[in-house]
Amino acid sequence: MESEIRTDFNELVMPLLGLAESMLEETGEFRPFGARVAAGGQLALVDVAPTLEEPSNPLIVDALYATFRLEARSGMIRACAVCWDALIPRLEGGGLMDAIAIGLEHRDGDPTIVLCGYEREPTGDFRFEDPVTAAGRRHVFGHVLLA
């Protein structure tokens, strides 16, 4: 991965992961939100939920990607990320577990997804696993196929 892409992805992941973990610890949940790196390198968090009449998690994710697509087409951004609560397979013991999912895209690179599994302990505290990465899906930059 090229240096600028890696730097931009790191700048997106760290605050998103930290904010999602904080919201989980404070309220036990979080709504999807995003972040962007502007063409000039400025980082900004993005929350579209307040602009939606009846925000549901899928609607918020769709609105974030739509916002980032418009900004990408106009050349305003070079990278973006959408963070949501997901279910992923457990590595041990079978079944599913909750995870913080962060879909990352860059105008000059391949999309990536970061997954950080978590569980609520009997004490009420959250235990977060180490994040893992996998190939992501393109929603914003380049040719986007509808699935």
Side-chain angles (χ1 to χ4, degrees):
M1 186 181 296
E2 294 178 29
S3 177
E4 180 182 85
I5 298 168
R6 183 182 309 273
T7 299
D8 287 346
F9 280 1
N10 286 339
E11 286 186 18
L12 289 164
V13 167
M14 298 313 291
L16 291 181
L17 194 56
L19 184 55
E21 288 177 356
S22 293
M23 285 191 274
L24 282 167
E25 290 169 342
E26 289 174 19
T27 66
E29 63 183 3
F30 71 94
R31 286 198 162 177
F33 60 97
R36 70 168 78 83
V37 176
Q42 303 85 357
L43 176 69
L45 292 175
V46 179
D47 181 10
V48 298
T51 67
L52 302 173
E53 193 170 309
E54 293 183 34
S56 66
N57 286 353
L59 183 61
I60 295 169
V61 169
D62 289 346
L64 284 163
Y65 280 127
T67 298
F68 293 145
R69 271 192 298 277
L70 289 172
E71 293 174 345
R73 285 184 188 136
S74 69
M76 292 173 53
I77 64 172
R78 68 182 189 213
C80 62
V82 174
C83 182
W84 70 94
D85 200 2
L87 287 174
I88 61 170
R90 289 182 190 280
L91 294 178
E92 296 178 13
L96 297 174
M97 72 181 304
D98 287 305
I100 299 167
I102 303 173
L104 298 158
E105 289 192 54
H106 200 283
R107 69 179 177 199
D108 299 323
D110 293 325
T112 300
I113 189 165
V114 175
L115 299 167
C116 179
Y118 68 88
E119 290 184 306
R120 186 171 232 159
E121 300 288 342
T123 62
D125 294 334
F126 283 90
R127 182 182 58 77
F128 297 97
E129 296 189 350
D130 291 333
V132 297
T133 61
R137 189 170 152 225
R138 192 167 298 285
H139 296 273
V140 176
F141 293 96
H143 185 68
V144 179
L145 297 176
L146 299 177

